[in-house]
Amino acid sequence: MTSGYGSHFPILAAALARTTGPVLECGIGDFSTPMIHYATMPNRLVVSADTDPDWICKFKGYSSNRHNFYLVEPAGDDALPPVTRKIEGWQKFSIIDQFSWGCVFLDCAPGEARHEIAIRLSKRAELIVAHDSETDYQSGGNYQYDKAKPHFRFVSEFKKWRPYTLILSNVMEFKIEDCDATWEPPK
């Protein structure tokens, strides 16, 4: 049984290799952030954003003129639940709309914001790699990616390991069988 935290690794690596434009990472992580940083060297723009300042602090050493880190601040009425305020923070995160993205990685908190971010990026990203796409709640939550899927011409899902990883695009077909999925996540 694997931890699942790195189950997206081969898909994200393949998506980065198939794209050339700027990279947006919504949700900083132990597997994604270092890999994105090094896979995009020497000059692809990377924007990494998170709602948790501790994640930004953990990876601040990767910050450079080509790799920028942003804290997504909670937004909306202070009386709203914290989850709602974080979702509204992502809704107001304007950098999403400032670029045409080569690759986007969605693994942010709260997970309930992910399908809205995917829809927002449907005409701005070549490939979107969305982690935690299962809907049976055994590996996590149901992040309602089914609401995003109709906005994309090409939809595929990597189900070799839990949590599953969804690939969305209006630009290119991404065939799971073309990926080298021989890498095994840590146990």
Side-chain angles (χ1 to χ4, degrees):
M1 182 60 70
T2 63
S3 70
Y5 292 117
S7 63
H8 61 277
F9 198 90
I11 303 305
L12 180 57
L16 289 167
R18 289 191 174 117
T19 58
T20 58
V23 176
L24 174 62
E25 178 187 29
C26 295
I28 295 169
D30 291 323
F31 290 93
S32 59
T33 304
M35 194 256 289
I36 289 170
H37 181 82
Y38 290 111
T40 57
M41 289 180 85
N43 54 15
R44 277 175 87 177
L45 173 69
V46 177
V47 170
S48 295
D50 207 292
T51 56
D52 185 340
D54 291 340
W55 279 107
I56 293 170
C57 187
K58 182 176 181 177
F59 290 99
K60 68 182 175 185
Y62 289 102
S63 183
S64 68
N65 62 347
R66 67 165 200 91
H67 193 164
N68 302 291
F69 289 79
Y70 293 89
L71 177 64
V72 177
E73 300 277 356
D77 188 332
D78 288 343
L80 292 171
V83 169
T84 302
R85 294 192 69 233
K86 286 182 179 182
I87 291 170
E88 289 191 19
W90 282 109
Q91 291 168 346
K92 292 182 186 296
F93 185 59
S94 64
I95 291 170
I96 288 174
D97 304 312
Q98 293 177 5
F99 295 95
S100 292
W101 302 97
C103 182
V104 174
F105 181 58
L106 288 180
D107 195 17
C108 60
E112 294 79 5
R114 295 181 197 180
H115 72 281
E116 292 179 0
I117 295 169
I119 293 167
R120 191 169 160 194
L121 288 161
S122 64
K123 293 180 174 57
R124 298 187 100 29
E126 289 180 60
L127 284 174
I128 298 173
V129 177
H131 202 222
D132 306 308
S133 59
E134 67 285 331
T135 59
D136 60 10
Y137 301 93
Q138 291 180 13
S139 297
N142 177 356
Y143 299 135
Q144 303 176 42
Y145 287 127
D146 285 343
K147 292 179 181 179
K149 289 177 185 179
H151 295 267
F152 294 91
R153 183 172 170 212
F154 302 106
V155 176
S156 56
E157 192 168 25
F158 182 69
K159 293 183 175 182
K160 182 174 180 180
W161 306 301
R162 284 182 175 270
Y164 300 154
T165 303
L166 186 66
I167 303 93
L168 304 165
S169 180
N170 280 318
V171 178
M172 67 177 82
E173 187 172 16
F174 188 98
K175 294 182 179 180
I176 300 299
E177 59 270 12
D178 292 343
C179 291
D180 179 11
T182 57
W183 177 83
E184 290 286 334
K187 296 180 180 184

